Amino acid sequence: MEIAVCIKQVPDTAEVRINPETNTLIREGVPSIVNPFDENAVEEALRLREKHGGKVTIITMGPPQAIEALKQTIAMGADEVYLISDRAFAGSDTWATSYTLACAIKKLVAYDLILCGKQAIDGDTAQVGPGIAEWLSIPQVTFAVKIEVDGKKAKVERLLEEVNEIVEVPLPAVITVVKQINEPRIPSLKGMLKAKKAEIKTLSAQDVDADQTITGLKGSPTRVVKIFAPPVKGGGEIIEGSTDEVVSSLTQKLRERKII
Amino acid sequence: MDLRKNPNEQPNWKGIWVFAEQRDGIIQSVAFELLSEAKNLARTLSCEVSAVLLGDEKIEVDPLFEYGVDKVYVAAHPELKNYLTAPYTSTLAEMVNTYKPEIFLIGATTIGRDLAARLAIRINCGLTADCTGLAIDPEKKILQQTRPAFGGNIMATIISPNHRPQMATVRPKVFKKIKIQKQKEKNVIKFSPVIKGEDLLVKILETIKDESVKVNLQEAEIIVSGGRGICDQKNFKMIEDLASALGGAVGASRATVDAGWISAHHQVGQTGKTVAPKLYIACGIAGKIQHLAGMQGAETIVAINKDPDAPIFKVATYGIVGDCLEIVPALIRKVKELRI
């Protein structure tokens, strides 16, 4: 079974701030991590390989430093990894990103299954997985919490708002996974040594047959016109007193504001 | 892969569409919220507001007219009864290409986000996810779509200058649904979808109901959430009691879900749900940034926590420093007393 997993290196979003004077992102000193949902996708791919045999190929599109993210997946046990990196990709939105990743997958993997995290924690769009599926004209199943592969089809349990839905999908397909699907493994010492020594293959737009008129900013229908810090809520009022007093005071305030 | 290069010609694209998401034939609140906001946007654009509804032959269009839509486009087909990505995408792509709306708004639910992401590639347009603000640029007449990113630490305004429709998914509960007084003539346009076999590859085998979910979190006006500070799984009972006394839903922090105290359907935060109720009561929740990202859109936040330095107090409208195990039961008694 050939599995492709798309990952993204993201800043640890808890640390990202806006410079209020320039309204630009402050990236200095912010650690980079593998998008947590993508770690779950890698873990799921490794588990499926352990069960069904085959190969796990990791693909990321990003700047040269994304090699570190790929190395982490080698340490976890991935068979092959590729960095897709080109100046032509700069400024890609989800439309152009899904196109580029679809080109790379098509070129590099005889895929039975493509796994992605449900969304990246920086952009939070959840659009790239379905986008890849559309470019490759294969089915998508989003928000997976359980995947069982049986020959040329998979049974997938999806985590929805109020219910779980079980669907059957023929392979190949794109499946995006949620956090609850598994607990990503800690890389072994052997894995880490292997990752350290690994040479990471870097491919350009041309290498993956991506049409450069529709990659990067040129190929992106959307434009970010402004970024700004969210309005600060600021600490409110601390209600003090005995249990009875605080409860009375709170309910009174909520009633005055017609909330309860 | 076919190349989708040419921006869609703009002048022919007119009007605002709202996807009328239905589940079991019931049109979801978010659709009414978006229709109400679409009417505001339509005033600046001097255009019509239409709803687009997919379902089976029994689907009811009437509720949409209570929110002042000019037209309802309906595609009825047995295979559109329940949401499935492929037949919905193909049908909507056909409809968009036939009627050419300038703006297309979709609720940012699991259905909406699954659908919009696929549709945007199919019809070659830009898509902004999970918006919390919409406006029309008064000069250029284009849609300004504002959304949180980086876990809510940053807001970004995004436009799609050259592609049509301008498509966005919008978070539930951001806009108020407003019924209109006088209904217009019921203008229903029926669209006959052609569903191909290749769009029916995915089959729904089973839907498992989570009995612990009594009120949908994302639709709830009031949410009471429990965190580690409630100390024990069995204390979720008091969270449920407070929620039911207030007519609200039960939320949970990631720590409690990971500990197996409650199912993942209740989880609020970056890896769970994003909610924006009128009132959010955080009981024993420290308020890590990942949790705050999921609930700081709430109108009023009440935090109850033993630790006076807990970050939750930084976003709380009202804070109570104390033990949930004492405060929450007292609060339940008080709420019940006031309701009598």
Side-chain angles (χ1 to χ4, degrees), chain A:
Chain A
M1 187 171 175
E2 295 261 340
I3 307 173
V5 186
C6 298
I7 68 162
K8 184 180 187 185
Q9 188 183 48
V10 295
D12 190 342
T13 51
E15 308 285 328
V16 175
R17 289 286 179 278
I18 284 224
N19 178 333
E21 269 144 43
T22 58
N23 267 338
T24 49
L25 286 185
I26 305 168
R27 289 181 183 272
E28 289 83 49
V30 177
S32 288
I33 56 172
V34 175
N35 177 44
F37 298 106
D38 300 348
E39 273 190 272
N40 295 101
V42 173
E43 176 63 32
E44 198 59 22
L46 296 173
R47 290 185 190 191
L48 288 168
R49 183 192 67 189
E50 281 154 15
K51 205 164 170 190
H52 302 280
K55 202 172 89 186
V56 173
T57 305
I58 315 289
I59 297 173
T60 191
M61 180 183 110
Q65 69 258 30
I67 280 179
E68 287 311 310
L70 289 171
K71 287 198 165 185
Q72 188 181 326
T73 67
I74 294 176
M76 286 173 76
D79 298 292
E80 271 189 62
V81 304
Y82 293 95
L83 172 66
I84 316 300
S85 194
D86 198 309
R87 296 181 90 91
F89 300 147
S92 294
D93 71 0
T94 57
W95 195 99
T97 302
S98 62
Y99 167 70
T100 307
L101 286 170
C103 289
I105 293 167
K106 203 173 171 204
K107 179 86 179 182
L108 300 168
V109 190
Y111 54 90
D112 298 297
L113 178 63
I114 299 164
L115 294 177
C116 305
K118 76 155 179 169
Q119 65 196 53
I121 60 165
D122 52 354
D124 278 329
T125 72
Q127 286 168 193
V128 171
I132 292 169
E134 174 62 15
W135 284 109
L136 297 174
S137 300
I138 57 175
Q140 76 195 45
V141 180
T142 47
F143 314 117
V145 69
K146 197 173 174 187
I147 302 171
E148 282 171 25
V149 172
D150 178 13
K152 289 304 278 176
K153 59 182 197 281
K155 206 162 112 177
V156 184
E157 186 171 333
R158 306 176 66 212
L159 181 68
L160 305 182
E161 280 91 352
E162 292 172 277
V163 299
N164 283 19
E165 180 183 84
I166 300 175
V167 300
E168 186 183 85
V169 57
L171 300 180
V174 172
I175 301 178
T176 76
V177 305
V178 298
K179 197 89 204 120
Q180 292 81 2
I181 194 168
N182 57 39
E183 189 62 46
R185 67 195 60 191
I186 308 291
S188 65
L189 191 61
K190 199 173 140 211
M192 284 193 279
L193 285 172
K194 192 179 165 201
K196 208 175 161 195
K197 281 187 283 185
E199 290 270 334
I200 307 294
K201 283 167 262 184
T202 302
L203 304 178
S204 67
Q206 207 177 355
D207 293 334
V208 297
D209 303 333
D211 178 339
Q212 290 182 44
T213 62
I214 57 167
T215 58
L217 192 62
K218 253 190 293 179
S220 298
T222 61
R223 292 284 179 278
V224 177
V225 287
K226 193 170 103 180
I227 60 169
F228 55 102
V232 185
K233 274 230 150 108
E237 183 187 341
I238 296 288
I239 302 171
E240 286 171 333
S242 69
T243 298
D244 284 345
E245 283 162 5
V246 294
V247 162
S248 296
S249 167
L250 175 66
T251 47
Q252 197 188 340
K253 286 172 197 294
L254 294 177
R255 282 190 126 191
E256 275 164 16
R257 294 177 65 166
K258 300 199 182 341
I259 296 166
I260 60 169

Side-chain angles (χ1 to χ4, degrees), chain B residues 252-269:
Chain B
S253 70
R254 181 173 164 194
T256 59
V257 173
D258 285 352
W261 292 2
I262 191 162
S263 78
H265 292 120
H266 297 273
Q267 189 180 325
V268 172

Side-chain angles (χ1 to χ4, degrees), chain B residues 52-98:
Chain B
V52 50
L53 178 63
L54 276 57
D56 66 5
E57 298 294 339
K58 283 185 238 150
I59 195 76
E60 289 270 353
V61 301
D62 283 0
L64 293 162
F65 288 101
E66 293 171 21
Y67 294 86
V69 286
D70 296 295
K71 284 182 190 141
V72 178
Y73 293 90
V74 182
H77 190 287
E79 299 291 355
L80 298 175
K81 183 173 194 287
N82 295 313
Y83 173 75
L84 278 170
T85 313
Y88 267 61
T89 303
S90 296
T91 302
L92 283 170
E94 280 290 310
M95 294 173 90
V96 166
N97 288 328
T98 305

Side-chain angles (χ1 to χ4, degrees), chain B residues 78-284:
Chain B
E79 299 291 355
L80 298 175
K81 183 173 194 287
N82 295 313
Y83 173 75
L84 278 170
T85 313
Y88 267 61
T89 303
S90 296
T91 302
L92 283 170
E94 280 290 310
M95 294 173 90
V96 166
N97 288 328
T98 305
Y99 299 109
K100 300 191 177 353
E102 188 179 5
I103 292 173
F104 193 4
L105 306 177
I106 296 176
T109 60
T110 52
I111 287 178
R113 296 185 80 174
D114 183 90
L115 168 69
R118 183 113 192 186
L119 185 61
I121 308 295
R122 181 82 54 93
I123 62 179
N124 182 25
C125 68
L127 170 62
T128 306
D130 214 16
C131 295
T132 55
L134 299 171
I136 303 290
D137 179 328
E139 275 168 40
K140 295 181 192 139
K141 304 283 182 200
I142 53 177
L143 182 66
Q144 296 169 324
Q145 308 152 65
T146 297
R147 65 181 304 265
F150 292 89
N153 281 326
I154 288 165
M155 302 298 291
T157 301
I158 293 165
I159 56 169
S160 292
N162 301 318
H163 295 65
R164 296 293 178 273
Q166 303 161 82
M167 199 152 87
T169 62
V170 182
R171 256 184 214 179
K173 308 300 281 180
V174 168
F175 297 111
K176 298 222 169 341
K177 51 180 180 182
I178 302 160
K179 281 197 186 181
I180 53 147
Q181 298 300 320
K182 195 166 165 281
Q183 288 191 24
K184 295 178 192 170
E185 181 197 351
K186 289 181 181 162
N187 193 350
V188 178
I189 293 151
K190 289 190 176 158
F191 181 84
S192 304
V194 181
I195 312 271
K196 299 191 189 113
E198 68 205 45
D199 280 338
L200 298 172
L201 298 174
V202 175
K203 289 184 180 62
I204 300 172
L205 302 180
E206 196 186 340
T207 303
I208 306 165
K209 249 193 99 69
D210 180 345
E211 296 302 333
S212 74
V213 180
K214 294 185 181 77
V215 182
N216 182 346
L217 271 181
Q218 273 152 317
E219 302 268 322
E221 300 278 351
I222 295 177
I223 294 172
V224 184
S225 275
R228 277 281 192 194
I230 66 168
C231 298
D232 195 303
Q233 179 172 16
K234 69 177 197 299
N235 293 329
F236 256 106
K237 176 76 174 65
M238 86 187 172
I239 302 295
E240 280 162 26
D241 288 348
L242 181 57
S244 87
L246 292 165
V250 174
S253 70
R254 181 173 164 194
T256 59
V257 173
D258 285 352
W261 292 2
I262 191 162
S263 78
H265 292 120
H266 297 273
Q267 189 180 325
V268 172
Q270 195 171 50
T271 53
K273 291 184 169 117
T274 306
V275 297
K278 271 195 193 148
L279 174 61
Y280 188 91
I281 306 182
C283 307

